[in-house]
Amino acid sequence: MADPPDSFIEIDDMSEDEVKTKDQKRPPWGSDSDAGSSFGTTPLTPNTRRQPQPGVEMSANPKNDLHSAALLESAGGATSSGASRRSLRRSSRTELPTKLTKVLVAGMYIEAWNDEHFSDLRAKHKVKDNFLEGLNFGKLLDKASKSNEPLWITDDEDFVIKAMSGPDHTSMLGCTPAYMRRHQEGSVLVPIYLHFRFIPDSNGNHQDPAMGWQSYIAMRNIMPSHPDHIWRKRYDLKGCDDDKTLESEGKRIRAVHKRWWHWWYCQCCWSEERWLYWNGKQHARGLSMALPKALRDKFLKYLEGDVKWLMESGLMDYSLLLGVKRFPASVLEDDSDTFFNFLADYSAGRQTFLVRDLEVQRRIRITVENERDLTTGLEYRLAGEGLRVSDWDIAGAPKEVEDGPGPGTFPRQVEVTLLKKTRHEPILVITVGIVDFLQTWTLKKRLASCLKLFERRRATVPPDLYGERFLGHFRQILTVGTRLKQVTGCRSTYFDDDV
């Protein structure tokens, strides 16, 4: 394969004194309290040079190296809300990528930003440098969002590649160091392993139009499909009216939106797909999930840390993807360790935890008002006890209680035996991850918020309000399950056996 071409970005010729003067006047990118320095307080000199990293080819032009050194020092992140937001507003044109010789995408050499950070995360999650070498641009991923940027997925479905527009590209540049610190501290943000662009030819063209976007990110596909294990449920949750069900019992639900200008689109005209999508949204909005107490506390701790950082960075419109797989109890007793081998591969780089539901049946007393309640009205009475009928089967006829007034008297109490519908598959593999977190509070989002002013639970709200609502929603829907137990052996990225 031919050597990678030189970078096509040109820097105006300046003397070393001019470079030094310009760099000293440049406003700071942000501060880093851990490092104790920032670009604004450490002026560069002509002798400042970035040391070459393994697998990284430095530019032949020393002025390019000088500029890259400035950018490397300026990318230290921000610790305060104002500094962090300023870093995200900086123009991406001042950040030069570096040619990589060890990482190829679709068989092509690339230029990458901040790979000294992303390579560390790849190593931590045991992702090889050539993980995208066989990428096929013909394999587009169906999207649930309304954005124009395309998504591609690798043949093994382990990774998703997203094209980046200017605002998202700038956000990624500004938040990379702080984003990596979140992963070091414990996070449910989706892992991103590469921020790159393709190198055009001497005429500025690409051999494939798909390679012409400003930049791309490669991230872990946290919920891949599997031929033997279907997703019982997959949700996209924001804590607002945009919550939706993505998949139910292995069947993906296509988004069929009803826009405000569809004045003629009344319910009597809805298609079956529209009804399926609408019912999925209602289910997602009413979702409640029980977890063991220690696991719930740890999950919320990481979620709170992530959302605090997102709020400080001025980011909004992100989602929490939540998926559930179920397995029979026999998988834990399999001597071949097939199930745990599957988990070891699946949970690498994915925020996953394993839970066993110890409750198979429940006996409760309910009050019946008439004879009808003893037959067709039992399900209604269960809902009055705070139980979801979709979760339980009624086993046999109701029994009279010993201290009751006896048959034929109303109202009276009867005992009902309930069997969990999931009793044959009590093992849950739960996967979570925050995605689409690079959106800033732009003018477009402000205008959208004005247009949706009368929507009480709209998604387009300022970052602080968005984050507070997001956290409050998950504090409410994540409950403590006293009959749930975390199962050891699921070596996930953060939710492993120390819970």
Side-chain angles (χ1 to χ4, degrees):
M1 182 174 293
D3 292 334
D6 294 333
S7 172
F8 66 92
I9 291 186
E10 298 179 357
I11 299 180
D12 296 336
D13 290 335
M14 292 186 294
S15 69
E16 291 183 347
D17 290 338
E18 289 173 330
V19 172
K20 179 177 179 180
T21 302
K22 183 176 180 179
D23 287 335
Q24 287 175 330
K25 292 181 178 179
R26 184 175 298 161
W29 176 276
S31 62
D32 189 339
S33 59
D34 297 330
S37 65
S38 69
F39 180 76
T41 59
T42 307
L44 292 172
T45 69
N47 295 325
T48 304
R49 293 290 185 268
R50 180 157 52 98
Q51 296 300 317
Q53 302 292 324
V56 175
E57 180 178 327
M58 303 299 291
S59 170
N61 187 342
K63 293 178 181 177
N64 287 6
D65 290 348
L66 178 62
H67 192 78
S68 298
L71 295 166
L72 181 64
E73 186 171 358
S74 69
T79 57
S80 67
S81 175
S84 184
R85 295 185 191 192
R86 284 196 301 271
S87 73
L88 295 180
R89 289 195 293 265
R90 279 290 300 268
S91 171
S92 62
R93 291 177 296 176
T94 62
E95 180 83 43
L96 285 179
T98 306
K99 291 183 294 184
L100 301 185
T101 58
K102 291 179 63 177
V103 181
L104 279 75
V105 178
M108 306 289 291
Y109 287 105
I110 61 168
E111 295 180 325
W113 289 269
N114 294 311
D115 203 59
E116 65 274 12
H117 295 294
F118 292 110
S119 61
D120 289 342
L121 192 58
R122 292 199 299 269
K124 180 179 180 180
H125 293 177
K126 299 180 181 180
V127 176
K128 297 179 180 179
D129 284 342
N130 62 347
F131 70 109
L132 296 181
E133 186 171 355
L135 177 66
N136 177 11
F137 277 105
K139 194 167 184 179
L140 281 166
L141 184 66
D142 291 335
K143 299 189 301 179
S145 65
K146 302 182 285 291
S147 63
N148 295 322
E149 293 82 3
L151 298 172
W152 296 271
I153 188 168
T154 55
D155 289 336
D156 58 9
E157 295 198 8
D158 265 349
F159 305 99
V160 172
I161 296 83
K162 180 181 179 180
M164 301 268 278
S165 61
D168 283 355
H169 171 74
T170 305
S171 294
M172 188 76 257
L173 288 177
C175 74
T176 295
Y179 165 79
M180 291 302 172
R181 284 196 295 272
R182 286 299 313 140
H183 273 280
Q184 292 170 0
E185 297 166 0
S187 170
V188 292
L189 295 167
V190 63
I192 298 174
Y193 299 121
L194 192 64
H195 182 200
F196 69 97
R197 72 179 177 195
F198 291 97
I199 305 174
D201 58 26
S202 57
N203 295 321
N205 299 319
H206 296 274
Q207 68 179 40
D208 190 322
M211 299 179 179
W213 287 84
Q214 182 171 358
S215 70
Y216 306 78
I217 53 173
M219 52 193 163
R220 178 72 73 173
N221 178 16
I222 60 173
M223 295 183 187
S225 60
H226 192 284
D228 300 324
H229 314 130
I230 66 170
W231 289 102
R232 296 296 184 183
K233 295 291 182 182
R234 283 199 307 127
Y235 302 99
D236 182 328
L237 304 174
K238 296 183 176 183
C240 67
D241 287 341
D242 281 8
D243 289 357
K244 52 183 169 285
T245 303
L246 300 176
E247 189 168 343
S248 179
E249 299 301 324
K251 296 181 180 180
R252 297 192 177 186
I253 299 177
R254 189 174 75 88
V256 183
H257 300 286
K258 180 183 182 297
R259 301 304 184 196
W260 62 268
W261 59 84
H262 292 170
W263 53 270
W264 47 267
Y265 199 30
C266 61
Q267 289 190 354
C268 63
C269 300
W270 284 6
S271 64
E272 183 178 350
E273 280 190 324
R274 167 63 187 169
W275 276 111
L276 187 63
Y277 176 66
W278 184 84
N279 286 326
K281 287 182 69 70
Q282 305 311 306
H283 182 75
R285 291 173 187 173
L287 177 67
S288 176
M289 172 161 284
L291 295 173
K293 184 179 185 307
L295 184 58
R296 176 187 180 271
D297 292 346
K298 191 170 187 179
F299 179 26
L300 285 177
K301 174 186 173 183
Y302 292 149
L303 190 67
E304 288 165 358
D306 288 334
V307 173
K308 178 182 177 182
W309 170 69
L310 291 166
M311 292 167 62
E312 290 175 348
S313 301
L315 300 171
M316 45 80 68
D317 210 16
Y318 38 86
S319 303
L320 182 87
L321 297 186
L322 188 153
V324 179
K325 290 176 179 281
R326 284 190 170 272
F327 298 87
S330 58
V331 298
L332 303 182
E333 304 164 2
D334 185 1
D335 294 335
S336 66
D337 286 336
T338 302
F339 178 67
F340 287 105
N341 290 336
F342 155 73
L343 281 181
D345 293 335
Y346 170 78
S347 59
R350 295 183 177 92
Q351 296 87 334
T352 304
F353 37 97
L354 184 62
V355 174
R356 180 167 187 167
D357 188 352
L358 301 177
E359 186 175 41
V360 174
Q361 70 175 26
R362 182 185 296 185
R363 290 186 176 91
I364 63 170
R365 289 188 176 189
I366 61 174
T367 301
V368 292
E369 301 288 342
N370 49 50
E371 196 69 33
R372 178 179 175 275
D373 284 348
L374 290 173
T375 54
T376 58
L378 272 180
E379 292 184 351
Y380 170 77
R381 290 297 173 186
L382 289 180
E385 297 293 327
L387 298 172
R388 290 185 298 186
V389 178
S390 58
D391 294 341
W392 299 93
D393 289 324
I394 300 175
K399 296 181 180 180
E400 301 292 336
V401 297
E402 294 181 358
D403 54 349
T409 305
F410 298 99
R412 71 176 190 270
Q413 286 194 326
V414 295
E415 187 177 85
V416 178
T417 300
L418 304 176
L419 296 176
K420 262 199 172 174
K421 291 186 177 182
T422 57
R423 60 190 178 275
H424 300 302
E425 293 182 318
I427 308 301
L428 290 80
V429 175
I430 304 171
T431 304
V432 296
I434 296 178
V435 298
D436 297 334
F437 53 83
L438 296 176
Q439 178 64 56
T440 54
W441 185 233
T442 61
L443 177 61
K444 182 179 178 181
K445 288 295 181 180
R446 295 169 191 261
L447 292 174
S449 180
C450 294
L451 290 174
K452 300 178 181 180
L453 186 62
F454 296 105
E455 294 182 21
R456 187 174 60 88
R457 300 178 72 244
R458 62 189 182 276
T460 48
V461 295
D464 289 345
L465 178 58
Y466 190 95
E468 291 170 0
R469 183 180 64 188
F470 190 85
L471 264 183
H473 178 72
F474 288 102
R475 287 175 180 146
Q476 179 180 357
I477 72 169
L478 295 176
T479 61
V480 176
T482 57
R483 300 298 305 277
L484 296 173
K485 177 184 177 182
Q486 186 181 10
V487 181
T488 60
C490 180
R491 299 290 181 179
S492 67
T493 307
Y494 302 112
F495 297 99
D496 55 20
D497 303 340
D498 64 342
V499 176

